[in-house]
Amino acid sequence: MSLDTAQQDPELPIPAGVFAEKVTSVEHYTDRLFKFRITRPPTFRFRSGEFVMIGLPNATKPVFRAYSIASPSWDEELEFYSIKVPGGPLTEHLQKVAVGDTVVMRKKPTGTLVNDALLPGKRLWMFSTGTGIAPFASLIRDPDTYEKFEEVILTHTCRDVEELKYGQELVAAVKDDPLVGECAQALRLYNSTTRAEFPFRGRITDLMVSGKLFEDLGVPPISPETDRGMICGSMAMLRDTKSALEGFGLVEGSNNRPDTFVVERAFVD
Ligand SMILES: Cc1cc2nc3c(=O)[nH]c(=O)nc-3n(C[C@H](O)[C@H](O)[C@H](O)COP(=O)(O)OP(=O)(O)OC[C@H]3O[C@@H](n4cnc5c(N)ncnc54)[C@H](O)[C@@H]3O)c2cc1C
């Protein structure tokens, strides 16, 4: 039997209790990063910023991995922004998906990077590294975000300049979008790199603690009176950014107990 590029096997049954959706587009950014979109099941509801478990129908018991839904809750399709891990049980196959292939998805979305988990405030900070930008790609396209916050600042830090492209193109598209474009004038993107030459260099925590981030943006330092935070990155980035926000007096919240900042892992180390 011949398998297609993402190693799909038409003879294997779709596991019970999952959605089976078709890939509608794929775009590769670097040899480590790509995005793809799939059809959205009509009954699937989620809050912008949540994640869901996805897999490929390539085994009797497919490997499922958590993925932030990068599209907003109003979108007719679902978008994902993905790493390609060499030899990774899911992504060594997922990186080969093509239009028309099937992606399987568990039915229950969840997550803490949702507007409901934050108390109202003036300025929302979204701190991301690498694929940690994915939940914010959803939230910056959701009009609710701009109803709740006057100003939204998305920070995205990567090693290299090409890894910033997904976020840069997205922010430009959001500002031109007929639905959210007008309110998204309140959105600002702050990029920094940790390896390549770039106007803003360094880890976001260092830029926060030194105050350079606030100088570069022309905003006052973070204060619990006005500012709210969301963080998505590696465990080390979460730990350091969380401690920087706590240093400014912010307190971690959750769905059950909204407060002034929330965190989610971008992946398990
Ligand atoms: C809540 C949550 C949301 C997630 N959302 C996304 C998402 O939107 N996009 C995405 O690409 N991944 C996301 N992940 C990671 C994802 O679940 C998988 O780990 C990833 O797709 C790789 O799967 P794999 O089976 O190929 O390799 P795995 O066996 O899962 O991972 C192998 C190793 O690769 C590294 N790694 C895994 N994922 C990443 C990553 N995203 N960035 C850098 N290094 C990584 C880690 O060191 C990991 O130990 C999320 C994880 C969690 C917990």
Side-chain angles (χ1 to χ4, degrees):
M1 184 199 331
S2 71
L3 296 176
D4 73 17
T5 49
Q7 292 211 357
Q8 307 213 323
D9 184 343
E11 294 196 356
L12 282 171
I14 299 293
V18 302
F19 294 119
E21 299 302 314
K22 292 285 178 211
V23 174
T24 59
S25 70
V26 184
E27 185 174 347
H28 290 267
Y29 292 91
T30 68
D31 57 358
R32 293 182 67 241
L33 293 165
F34 71 113
K35 90 167 170 197
F36 61 97
R37 292 174 71 89
I38 62 172
T39 51
R40 176 172 178 171
T43 57
F44 180 69
R45 296 276 170 274
F46 70 101
R47 292 180 297 172
S48 295
E50 287 188 313
F51 68 90
V52 71
M53 306 298 291
I54 66 169
L56 288 168
N58 58 359
T60 324
K61 284 194 174 174
V63 169
F64 280 89
R65 291 285 188 259
Y67 267 79
S68 295
I69 302 167
S71 45
S73 58
W74 53 262
D75 202 325
E76 282 167 17
E77 294 182 339
L78 300 175
E79 180 173 310
F80 298 98
Y81 181 54
S82 181
I83 192 81
K84 306 172 192 177
V85 180
L90 178 62
T91 57
E92 74 168 336
H93 304 299
L94 189 66
Q95 62 180 280
K96 296 178 194 146
V97 282
V99 172
D101 284 349
T102 300
V103 169
V104 289
M105 185 175 91
R106 292 219 173 110
K107 295 193 169 175
K108 203 171 155 13
T110 186
T112 51
L113 300 180
V114 291
N115 284 324
D116 292 347
L118 288 177
L119 297 173
K122 177 171 185 273
R123 187 180 301 113
L124 173 61
W125 293 88
M126 299 166 164
F127 298 102
S128 66
T129 52
T131 61
I133 194 174
F136 305 138
S138 172
L139 284 158
I140 63 171
R141 288 186 262 190
D142 192 328
D144 283 354
T145 304
Y146 305 100
E147 268 169 40
K148 192 159 178 180
F149 300 98
E150 279 171 41
E151 201 179 334
V152 178
I153 300 174
L154 167 62
T155 82
H156 189 210
T157 302
C158 294
R159 277 183 308 181
D160 293 319
V161 178
E162 311 81 70
E163 296 170 339
L164 301 171
K165 191 174 171 205
Y166 172 73
Q168 291 169 339
E169 287 183 352
L170 184 69
V171 168
V174 169
K175 287 183 181 269
D176 262 354
D177 186 279
L179 179 71
V180 288
E182 205 177 317
C183 44
Q185 299 311 313
L187 170 66
R188 301 174 72 183
L189 174 65
Y190 184 92
N191 282 143
S192 72
T193 53
T194 51
R195 189 163 72 182
E197 281 299 326
F198 192 70
F200 302 117
R201 293 285 304 276
R203 286 160 14 125
I204 197 67
T205 40
D206 294 338
L207 294 162
M208 277 162 93
V209 172
S210 70
K212 184 164 187 310
L213 175 66
F214 312 117
E215 274 168 38
D216 288 342
L217 287 164
V219 296
I222 290 173
S223 143
E225 307 302 319
T226 47
D227 296 66
R228 303 291 174 259
M230 290 183 171
I231 318 173
C232 193
S234 66
M235 284 305 281
M237 179 272 194
L238 295 188
R239 186 194 57 225
D240 294 350
T241 314
K242 180 177 143 96
S243 117
L245 289 188
E246 285 169 347
F248 288 113
L250 270 57
V251 174
E252 185 171 357
S254 64
N255 275 292
N256 300 336
R257 199 175 32 80
D259 218 307
T260 46
F261 80 92
V262 279
V263 294
E264 192 116 79
R265 290 187 295 191
F267 59 92
V268 181
D269 287 298

